[in-house]
Amino acid sequence: MNGHVTLAEEVLLLTLEDESGAVKESAGAACAIPGALLAELALAGRVALEDGTVTVVPGGEPTGEPLLDGRLERLAEWARGRRTAKASEWLTQDRATAPADTLERLVERGLVTEERRRVLGVFPVRRYPEADGRVERALRERLAAVVLHGAEPDARTGALIALLHAAGLYRSAFPEVPRKEVEPRFAEIAEGEWAGEAVREAIRNTRAVLAAVIAVTAATAATTAVM
């Protein structure tokens, strides 16, 4: 396995069923994954987020992580020529491809395997059961230490928890713990002093944008249900 697992991959590992390979809480995951990619680029100093807009930092070297560098290229191309590159618009658009690209990277790392089948012999379905559980186990231990046992988060763990909190993915993170027992700690960490001000500002912007995208998605779904 090459390089550290990205925040987006961590979100996906938490939301994938180990045996079936299906995605739990798929709506929240679909929003959190592009948010996690944008947050990671902010943590790496490759993008700046301010007042709801996203800017690619000029002159930055590639991160060396294909998933992030590919996203940065797409973001730069998308933002080119726009008067205002709204982060909410980028995240909404990126939901179409970010989850699949992140799944592909997990397969490349050997953490999950891709299984293709047909439902009722007609409809193609892909599932991603666990192949190597060591990374996910370490991730869950890291989250438990911070959320359940009071350890101080580092910047990456704080960012991940903030994103999970914004997307409401408490059950994926802690399937055996009631939401009411962990949500206050998630909220506390999301607003905490776990990183420098510049990083926390980037995550606050990402969380705000992510919350707005989720709200629009929920409103659209409700309207469709009524119609």
Side-chain angles (χ1 to χ4, degrees):
M1 185 177 66
N2 298 321
H4 72 264
V5 174
T6 63
L7 292 172
E9 291 170 279
E10 289 182 333
V11 171
L12 197 46
L13 284 174
L14 292 171
T15 57
L16 280 173
E17 292 279 2
D18 292 342
E19 294 184 6
S20 71
V23 179
K24 303 173 289 185
E25 302 186 285
S26 57
C31 290
I33 288 168
L37 289 167
L38 188 60
E40 185 107 50
L41 289 170
L43 285 166
R46 299 310 194 274
V47 302
L49 283 157
E50 186 176 3
D51 296 329
T53 64
V54 58
T55 305
V56 175
V57 176
E61 295 291 327
T63 67
E65 166 50 52
L67 182 60
L68 296 179
D69 290 334
R71 224 74 252 118
L72 189 60
E73 289 179 8
R74 291 188 190 185
L75 175 57
E77 182 178 353
W78 173 82
R80 191 174 297 118
R82 291 175 178 266
R83 292 184 59 187
T84 303
K86 293 185 178 180
S88 59
E89 293 179 1
W90 165 250
L91 289 175
T92 300
Q93 174 171 303
D94 201 32
R95 289 175 61 215
T97 56
D101 290 345
T102 304
L103 275 168
E104 182 178 342
R105 186 65 177 125
L106 287 178
V107 173
E108 290 174 352
R109 291 183 189 275
L111 298 181
V112 301
T113 58
E114 183 183 67
E115 294 182 354
R116 301 188 183 192
R117 64 187 73 166
R118 288 186 179 274
V119 176
L120 302 177
V122 178
F123 304 104
V125 174
R126 297 185 185 185
R127 293 289 184 264
Y128 297 85
E130 183 178 83
D132 182 346
R134 291 174 295 176
V135 170
E136 183 183 346
R137 285 195 294 272
L139 168 60
R140 290 189 180 279
E141 289 172 1
R142 197 170 96 232
L143 288 175
V146 173
V147 175
L148 302 182
H149 305 301
E152 286 297 315
D154 58 19
R156 289 185 56 80
T157 305
L160 175 61
I161 291 171
L163 289 160
L164 294 171
H165 176 55
L169 295 174
Y170 312 104
R171 184 165 59 88
S172 292
F174 295 99
E176 298 180 0
V177 182
R179 171 173 176 162
K180 64 182 181 181
E181 294 184 14
V182 295
E183 185 173 3
R185 177 63 174 155
F186 271 75
E188 177 188 3
I189 293 166
E191 299 298 334
E193 302 290 328
W194 39 264
E197 177 57 30
V199 172
R200 286 189 286 115
E201 176 65 19
I203 298 300
R204 281 197 295 269
N205 276 276
T206 302
R207 284 181 55 219
V209 169
L210 184 56
V213 170
I214 292 172
V216 170
T217 302
T220 301
T223 301
T224 303
V226 171
M227 295 174 64

